[in-house]
Amino acid sequence: MGLFSKDIQTMEDMLLHGLRDIYYAEQQITKALPTMIEQATNRDLAAGLKAHLEETQKQIERLDQVFKKLGEKPSGIDCPAIDGLIKESNETAGEIADKSVLDAAIIANAQAVEHYEIARYGTLIAWAEELGHDDIVRFLTTNLNEEKAANTKLNTVALRKGVNRKAAS
């Protein structure tokens, strides 16, 4: 089912589609993060990615609760956006020999994923509020706040912990 397929007739359908999209995305992220952790040579970057992997698993648990509150079985649908971001990340990583440059690339790729998630969660929250699903907004907002914090931590590692400076030298 595409984002604007005929299977989506109502805002409720669109919300459910978006939830399935982010559910799939979060699961794909849990599969991709271990490789990024393994490739990272900067300790702060590796530690941050490990922490975010644990957070992502909790985010999936919150999404399970969201589906439950909506009376739906938790399920994902293919998300070409996250698949593309992960594919690009893997391809980029495979082209970089210098480990310090690779760390900078891992941060950039991880931030692209975070920005996608921030956009998706923001939209889902707006839709849930509009539809009166106040019981799921809290779960989605917690996930959104964690994604924003992960992005900020990535910025800190890139800029204040010297990853970008080391990659540029």
Side-chain angles (χ1 to χ4, degrees), residues 12 15 65-66 69-70 124-142:
E12 220 37 82
L15 173 65
Q65 291 298 312
V66 166
K69 288 194 173 290
L70 293 174
L124 291 171
I125 290 164
W127 290 349
E129 287 174 343
E130 190 64 36
L131 291 166
H133 291 300
D134 298 333
D135 53 339
I136 69 169
V137 168
R138 176 177 53 91
F139 294 107
L140 298 174
T141 301
T142 300

Side-chain angles (χ1 to χ4, degrees), residues 1 5-14:
M1 165 175 25
S5 75
K6 294 179 182 170
D7 294 338
I8 298 174
Q9 299 293 325
T10 67
M11 188 86 159
E12 220 37 82
D13 294 340
M14 215 160 54

